[in-house]
Amino acid sequence: MKDHSIIVLRQQVRGRTPVRFGVNIEVQDHHESTNLWDWVADSGITVAREFHPEQTLRRRSVEPGTWGRIASREDFEAFRKRIIDDPDGPMVQWDNYAFDTALPWLGVPDGIIGKLNALEIMPLISLGYGTAHFPRPLIRDIDTRHVPDDAGLDWEAAASAY
């Protein structure tokens, strides 16, 4: 007897298909000459994240206080909303990012973004801005025994990292 499967279709909804189907890809130098892009084109993905958290694409840190006083979560959320509402406005200094520069183990991010855009796949690029790159700690008094509440966070430092 052959192995076989029985598929039963029912009217009850058991789950939802995700709106986006994505993958994490790690593309390095010479990405334009790999066959990865053929696989990506045929995969049906709608979003791709190219990540290298140990690399930073920021050319320089943004000093806390650059956008005014941000003393609370509410101030931070208002700051964040201004960026989301106008990402091409003055809040984000895009010339501060090295998208057009070859970085070790990353290649040239503009080329990767270009390939994904040509395939009509939304690119998500991690800026790799880890804690070692923060201009000052995000937590005022680090106590490893508990997670601080909102008052224990340096919201201006969080805004500069965001």
Side-chain angles (χ1 to χ4, degrees):
M1 174 183 243
K2 292 184 178 181
D3 289 339
H4 64 279
S5 297
I6 297 174
I7 298 173
V8 178
L9 301 178
R10 297 196 169 105
Q11 291 183 344
Q12 299 89 357
V13 174
R14 298 284 184 185
R16 301 268 182 218
T17 302
V19 174
R20 300 208 179 272
F21 171 57
V23 297
N24 292 320
I25 56 176
E26 190 169 358
V27 180
Q28 300 176 6
D29 291 332
H30 313 294
H31 67 85
E32 66 279 353
S33 61
T34 69
N35 69 346
L36 172 68
W37 302 113
D38 294 328
W39 178 86
V40 167
D42 293 338
S43 69
I45 65 172
T46 58
V47 63
R49 181 176 74 148
E50 202 293 331
F51 66 101
H52 284 277
E54 73 281 0
Q55 297 293 327
T56 180
L57 294 177
R58 280 193 181 182
R59 290 187 170 113
R60 61 190 173 277
S61 293
V62 177
E63 290 303 314
T66 298
W67 300 282
R69 183 165 160 74
I70 301 173
S72 66
R73 176 179 293 277
E74 293 76 25
D75 294 344
F76 180 83
E77 291 301 333
F79 154 80
R80 189 174 164 274
K81 183 175 180 340
R82 288 194 314 267
I83 291 175
I84 291 169
D85 289 347
D86 187 13
D88 293 324
M91 296 291 289
V92 181
Q93 301 157 347
W94 290 110
D95 60 342
N96 190 21
Y97 295 91
F99 292 115
D100 58 352
T101 304
L103 298 171
W105 303 103
L106 186 61
V108 179
D110 270 351
I112 296 165
I113 294 169
K115 287 280 193 183
L116 291 169
N117 283 337
L119 296 171
E120 297 182 358
I121 296 170
M122 180 189 302
L124 298 175
I125 306 294
S126 170
L127 297 181
Y129 197 59
T131 56
H133 304 109
F134 291 175
R136 66 186 192 215
L138 302 183
I139 300 173
R140 294 182 199 282
D141 297 309
I142 296 177
D143 179 352
T144 57
R145 292 172 295 184
H146 73 280
V147 176
D149 59 10
D150 285 359
L153 299 179
D154 182 337
W155 290 102
E156 285 184 356
S160 69
Y162 184 80

